[in-house]
Amino acid sequence: MRGKGVARGYAIGRAVVMGAAALEVAHYRIAPDDVESECRRLRDALTRAQADLHHLANNLPEDAPRELGAMLNVHRLLLGDPLLADEAQALIRDRHYNAEWALTAQGQLLGEQFDAMEDEYLRERGGDVRQVIERALHVLSGTPALLPEETVCSGGGGEPLVVIAHDISPADMLRLRGARFSAFATDLGGPTSHTAIVARSMGVPAVVAMGNVRDIVRDGDMIIVDGASGTVLINPSETMLAQYRGLQRVYADERAELELLRDEPSITLDGISVKLEANIELPEEAPAALAAGAQAIGLFRSEFLFMGRAELPGEEEQYQAYASVVRVMAGRPVTIRTLDIGADKTLDDEVTVATNPALGQRAIRYCLARPEMFATQLRAILRASAHGPVRLLIPMIAHMHEVEATFAAVASARRELDARGQAYALHIPVGAMVEIPAMAIAIEPFVQVLDFLSIGTNDLIQYVLAIDRGDHDVASLYDPLHPAVLRLLAHTINAGERAGKPVAVCGEMAGDPRYTRLLLGLGLSEFSMHSQQLLDVKREVRRAHSNALRAKVANVLNRALPVDLARLEQA
Ligand code: PEP
Ligand code: MG
């Protein structure tokens, strides 16, 4: 099957097919010695859930509808059905799944069988199956098993696992991060959807926009994921497996060779020094950024601290998180972006009713509408600046009054810290993301008042081309090489150069080595990307002649057709 490859690499492993509920439960393989106790855990949970239902049915209030008692009994029978209990235990014995995983996998299969039935009454029983599974999972969560030392992962002892899902929200990706799966394939999503971005940050191959991979793949199928070409092979032949194992080895050798560049300077053939910086979503990623040789954190997407949790982080928690990154980076600048919530990144308890969330109250619009929340974050960021260089980055600016309102909010946060006697750096550069076309077109006044700019190509392209970055149906129209995109990039970079203000690109384009020469040719000298991509880009920088590229790119900017990247290869 084909989709959009969004994170390079090859993975060969067993499919874990996930529904929404499955994402919530732990997936790991148990040790062979624990099979019997895990089966017992499962049986006990099913018996407990049955007993609960029995108790409920026998203690219904007088006025409860008669059908309710009957329904509870149906659920009780389902929990005792061998198709559920025996088959789930078989998964524990044969594949060493933990009880929760075995239960969700078997429940999903049964649910789908019911869904496919002709008879409407029987079809609806699929919903009952899902409800009883939820109930048994709930019981299991009260008797959590000890996580084994070695959770299954690419490098671990068991077979690698490949997550197959309809879609994975950015919050679910955060939950999966700890489980260390070896690849992802999803029905939905685009190359710069936040799911793809998080997969890249985890350094595992990923393919999105597959259409119906979740319907076709079965739990436990053997899967090959080729994250470069966007190919997913299901139950491949031995010959295919051997071929891909070979490709996996070649890729690993290539990565090892790249490692040799780690301590080499990032400088073009004609001596132009290029800053390579890291994008992070969570503080835990900072050590990897430093180890990869990042000269700064060019983008800390702070919203990931706020997602996948019931309560928002307070000032102290945020301060600790930001300060920890500042400390890890040991004197290198840390660019903290204020909350960019909205569009595909939502808070757990928020249901958006916006007809088009990407054009709605997102990022700075969201923050300015919630002054208390914004002030809390600004104070936390300012306090972190006491430990090392911090830059403040504002997302989704379109209007000058938003910049002014942000300056006012920063000034007020400083006054509050002064009143409390808390320390912060006297000078904190304030910059904005250039990701709304209006700002890129009318960039001149913005570059005067701001200290730096960072171009968010992911959103800029989305808004210039009217392509939803997460919509798989239009993923093929998402074209970073469109002349309109390139002219906006050129215009912004030139404006920064004239005003003597630094301009970076922190969208996914900056981390894709196919575009490195083009961006150098546009005059870019600051690239921010996931640390996994840093050495690929460094290799391109070290092979390029910046001035020759500038002359070439200037010549193609006014063409009607997208730039032919091959023509830049010689420079
Ligand atoms: C961008 O839009 O390019 C960007 C870097 O921000 P995000 O991907 O978080 O929207
Ligand atoms: Mg953006």
Side-chain angles (χ1 to χ4, degrees):
M1 290 184 71
R2 296 300 288 264
K4 273 255 161 204
V6 293
R8 287 171 58 214
Y10 301 94
I12 302 175
R14 293 272 170 204
V16 183
V17 181
M18 290 195 168
L23 289 168
E24 307 287 335
V25 306
H27 286 63
Y28 54 87
R29 284 221 174 86
I30 55 167
D33 286 352
D34 295 336
V35 163
E36 284 318 313
S37 64
E38 196 66 7
C39 283
R40 203 172 325 112
R41 227 181 120 238
L42 176 79
R43 285 194 305 269
D44 288 351
L46 293 173
T47 313
R48 260 281 309 281
Q50 274 181 300
D52 288 352
L53 287 174
H54 190 65
H55 181 78
L56 272 176
N58 286 342
N59 292 282
L60 285 176
E62 291 287 314
D63 54 351
R66 287 236 320 276
E67 298 80 19
L68 190 58
M71 196 199 75
L72 290 173
N73 281 326
V74 168
H75 281 196
R76 192 162 54 83
L77 291 174
L78 279 172
L79 280 168
D81 194 304
L83 262 181
L84 184 62
D86 294 357
E87 295 298 318
Q89 288 184 84
L91 289 174
I92 297 178
R93 290 207 171 89
D94 301 342
R95 298 208 192 136
H96 295 174
Y97 287 4
N98 63 315
E100 287 87 345
W101 183 4
L103 200 55
T104 38
Q106 182 56 17
Q108 206 160 312
L109 194 73
L110 288 178
E112 282 167 11
Q113 285 170 358
F114 277 106
D115 289 347
M117 287 180 183
E118 295 257 325
D119 184 279
E120 193 184 330
Y121 173 79
L122 289 176
R123 219 170 33 239
E124 282 175 8
R125 302 289 67 77
D128 291 325
V129 171
R130 292 190 180 93
Q131 284 176 17
V132 302
I133 299 279
E134 295 280 333
R135 180 170 284 279
L137 282 173
H138 193 71
V139 176
L140 276 175
S141 70
T143 59
L146 283 180
L147 270 174
E149 284 281 290
E150 194 183 283
T151 27
V152 178
C153 64
S154 43
E159 268 178 318
L161 300 175
V162 174
V163 172
I164 306 285
H166 185 57
D167 193 16
I168 309 178
S169 74
D172 285 332
M173 283 300 271
L174 288 186
R175 280 186 205 111
L176 286 175
R177 199 190 279 272
R180 293 183 291 143
F181 286 90
S182 65
F184 295 90
T186 59
D187 291 341
L188 304 185
T192 60
S193 60
H194 286 95
T195 306
I197 290 174
V198 178
R200 266 195 291 274
S201 78
M202 294 165 74
V204 296
V207 181
V208 300
M210 303 217 49
N212 60 345
V213 68
R214 227 213 66 177
D215 290 343
I216 289 173
V217 173
R218 294 267 144 256
D219 216 79
D221 279 351
M222 184 52 105
I223 300 287
I224 295 177
V225 176
D226 172 352
S229 71
T231 312
V232 171
L233 291 96
I234 305 158
N235 294 324
S237 65
E238 272 309 317
T239 324
M240 273 293 178
L241 280 171
Q243 193 179 332
Y244 274 91
R245 286 198 188 101
L247 287 170
Q248 234 176 355
R249 279 192 295 274
V250 172
Y251 185 71
D253 289 347
E254 251 179 58
R255 302 306 306 169
E257 200 177 307
L258 265 184
E259 289 297 316
L260 303 175
L261 289 182
R262 189 170 294 268
D263 299 320
E264 296 297 323
S266 159
I267 189 163
T268 61
L269 292 174
D270 51 335
I272 305 287
S273 189
V274 175
K275 284 202 181 104
L276 300 183
E277 306 174 347
N279 291 356
I280 61 170
E281 269 85 51
L282 291 171
E284 296 89 277
E285 294 167 70
L290 188 69
Q295 288 162 267
I297 298 295
L299 172 65
F300 179 173
R301 289 183 165 96
S302 69
E303 55 276 9
F304 282 80
L305 290 175
F306 290 67
M307 288 156 53
R309 51 188 290 165
E311 290 206 345
L312 299 186
E315 179 181 325
E316 195 57 31
E317 184 184 337
Q318 287 188 58
Y319 158 64
Q320 295 295 349
Y322 305 143
S324 72
V325 176
V326 173
R327 282 195 206 97
V328 168
M329 293 310 288
R332 296 164 188 81
V334 176
T335 314
I336 304 175
R337 183 173 73 182
T338 58
L339 194 59
D340 178 5
I341 219 73
D344 66 337
K345 293 180 285 192
T346 49
L347 297 179
D348 263 21
D349 63 342
E350 259 180 355
V351 182
T352 173
V353 288
T355 45
N356 192 336
L359 303 181
Q361 203 181 60
R362 182 186 162 185
I364 191 63
R365 304 167 180 180
Y366 185 97
C367 289
L368 292 175
R370 292 163 182 76
E372 270 307 309
M373 183 191 209
F374 195 32
T376 304
Q377 180 171 41
L378 291 175
R379 287 194 304 271
I381 296 175
L382 288 172
R383 285 173 60 194
S385 73
H387 303 279
V390 165
R391 299 187 289 212
L392 188 72
L393 179 59
I394 317 296
M396 296 282 292
I397 291 281
H399 302 273
M400 188 56 86
H401 60 75
E402 290 162 336
V403 176
E404 285 156 4
T406 303
F407 285 162
V410 173
S412 145
R414 284 180 200 273
R415 283 194 298 275
E416 282 167 35
L417 293 181
D418 287 340
R420 288 189 203 159
Q422 280 173 320
Y424 57 89
L426 274 187
H427 179 64
I428 296 178
V430 179
M433 299 277 297
V434 182
E435 51 187 347
I436 295 183
M439 188 190 184
I441 293 167
I443 193 71
E444 288 80 4
F446 290 99
V447 78
Q448 293 306 322
V449 297
L450 291 159
D451 296 311
F452 68 97
L453 301 173
S454 191
I455 308 177
T457 45
N458 306 339
D459 278 313
L460 187 63
I461 297 167
Q462 149 165 280
Y463 295 124
V464 172
L465 298 181
I467 298 296
D468 185 326
R469 60 195 270 194
D471 184 343
H472 68 291
D473 283 333
V474 287
S476 61
L477 296 176
Y478 189 96
D479 184 8
L481 300 180
H482 191 290
V485 172
L486 298 187
R487 281 187 224 171
L488 289 181
L489 288 177
H491 185 56
T492 307
I493 294 168
N494 292 343
E497 216 167 41
R498 276 198 306 276
K501 302 281 174 79
V503 178
V505 170
C506 65
E508 295 304 292
M509 220 178 150
D512 188 332
R514 287 174 303 174
Y515 302 130
T516 307
R517 301 171 83 80
L518 173 67
L519 291 171
L520 288 170
L522 287 167
L524 190 76
S525 59
E526 196 173 335
F527 294 61
S528 194
M529 68 208 80
H530 276 295
S531 44
Q532 301 280 347
Q533 303 160 315
L534 223 124
L535 295 179
D536 292 280
V537 173
K538 191 190 268 189
R539 178 168 56 189
E540 288 304 313
V541 166
R542 291 171 56 85
R543 282 178 186 163
H545 193 288
S546 182
N547 279 317
L549 281 168
R550 287 199 83 156
K552 278 206 168 193
V553 170
N555 273 335
V556 297
L557 266 189
N558 285 326
R559 301 246 168 92
L561 293 174
V563 171
D564 178 4
L565 290 179
R567 294 172 62 98
L568 301 179
E569 270 309 309
Q570 285 79 35

